[in-house]
Amino acid sequence: MRDIRHHLTDELLMGYSAGTLPEAFNLVVATHVSLCDECRARLHSFDAVGGVLLEEESASMAHGALEATLALISRKAQEPIQPKPKQPAGAFPGPLYDYVGGDLGAVNWKRMGGGVRQAILKTSKDATVRLLNIPAGAAMPDHGHKGMELTLVLQGAFLDDGERFARGDIEVANEDLAHTPIADIGEDCICLTASDAPLTFNSLAPRLVQPFLRI
Ligand code: ZN
Ligand code: ZN
């Protein structure tokens, strides 16, 4: 597999490690981490530090504890990378395959217009996660964000703001970004995308159907 170029932020990896992310975000983070050596190594160091901080929670933070914690992070980050988990043969990495209960064939797709199809996965209501299938060369509706949006590519690729995102790459978008991802030619682009607030569509038609599509 090619190198993954677009990764999770430290904040997301820490939130995942601490168990504070919405279920929808946990699924996207776990799926990326299963594909990405770099983020798996960083997560490993946050997991180790989280354990140390928990142990120290009752005691007052001793003088030098911060230095010791930072030293631990860098030591953990240098440990050999944990082996890649065994992956199913299809488009869905292990965590997503387990969540859906199968691969692409197990997904109940719904039409969105413009040839785009989506399937919303069942999670807790604080955030939403969906699979998107965007025809090769087609655009997602132009939209902004009220919260955070994570988009992980599973098949094909999309272009956004001069960057190309292919399998394993993750785009982290927030309030500041209004964008129009376009599926690369050659192959339909299938993504797993989570958002913690309704997207704000910029053109009227998508806005009208927004409540029905739960975007
Ligand atoms: Zn990564
Ligand atoms: Zn977006």
Side-chain angles (χ1 to χ4, degrees), residues 88-105:
F92 291 175
L96 180 60
Y97 185 98
D98 293 345
Y99 209 92
V100 170
D103 203 63
L104 286 169

Side-chain angles (χ1 to χ4, degrees), residues 52-65:
V52 170
L53 292 181
L54 271 182
E55 280 163 29
E56 288 180 356
E57 211 159 68
S58 48
S60 62
M61 278 290 258
H63 182 67

Side-chain angles (χ1 to χ4, degrees), residues 12-37:
L12 284 163
L13 285 168
M14 279 187 247
Y16 180 79
S17 175
T20 56
L21 298 181
E23 188 182 6
F25 281 48
N26 277 338
L27 178 60
V28 180
V29 170
T31 304
H32 176 82
V33 162
S34 78
L35 293 170
C36 179
D37 289 343

Side-chain angles (χ1 to χ4, degrees), residues 3 5 77 79 118 128 131 138 147 149 199:
D3 282 348
R5 278 192 293 265
E79 283 181 3
Q118 73 163 352
T128 308
L131 285 157
E149 178 191 65
L199 303 181

Side-chain angles (χ1 to χ4, degrees), residues 7-188:
H7 297 278
L8 290 160
T9 63
D10 281 345
E11 288 73 17
L12 284 163
L13 285 168
M14 279 187 247
Y16 180 79
S17 175
T20 56
L21 298 181
E23 188 182 6
F25 281 48
N26 277 338
L27 178 60
V28 180
V29 170
T31 304
H32 176 82
V33 162
S34 78
L35 293 170
C36 179
D37 289 343
E38 187 181 316
C39 289
R40 197 159 57 254
R42 279 157 68 211
L43 177 62
H44 179 59
S45 63
F46 290 131
D47 283 346
V49 172
V52 170
L53 292 181
L54 271 182
E55 280 163 29
E56 288 180 356
E57 211 159 68
S58 48
S60 62
M61 278 290 258
H63 182 67
L66 178 63
E67 286 81 355
T69 303
L70 293 175
L72 180 65
I73 292 178
S74 71
R75 203 159 65 243
K76 284 285 173 191
Q78 269 153 57
E79 283 181 3
I81 295 167
Q82 295 165 297
K84 234 185 213 18
K86 233 172 126 52
Q87 295 284 13
F92 291 175
L96 180 60
Y97 185 98
D98 293 345
Y99 209 92
V100 170
D103 203 63
L104 286 169
V107 176
N108 184 17
W109 295 103
K110 301 261 194 294
R111 287 171 205 285
M112 282 182 79
V116 177
R117 292 181 296 156
Q118 73 163 352
I120 297 171
L121 305 180
K122 231 179 152 51
T123 59
S124 57
K125 291 217 173 351
D126 45 359
T128 308
V129 64
R130 74 195 66 223
L131 285 157
L132 283 172
N133 184 325
I134 308 164
M140 274 287 289
D142 190 22
H143 61 273
H145 312 96
K146 278 183 189 150
M148 182 183 273
E149 178 191 65
L150 304 180
T151 305
L152 172 66
V153 180
L154 303 168
Q155 177 193 296
F158 71 83
L159 309 167
D160 191 17
D161 205 20
E163 301 268 359
R164 186 173 189 273
F165 297 80
R167 180 170 165 86
D169 282 325
I170 194 156
E171 182 178 48
V172 181
N174 57 31
E175 290 90 345
D176 311 327
L177 181 72
H179 63 161
T180 310
I182 296 173
D184 207 353
I185 51 171
E187 186 175 20
D188 288 1

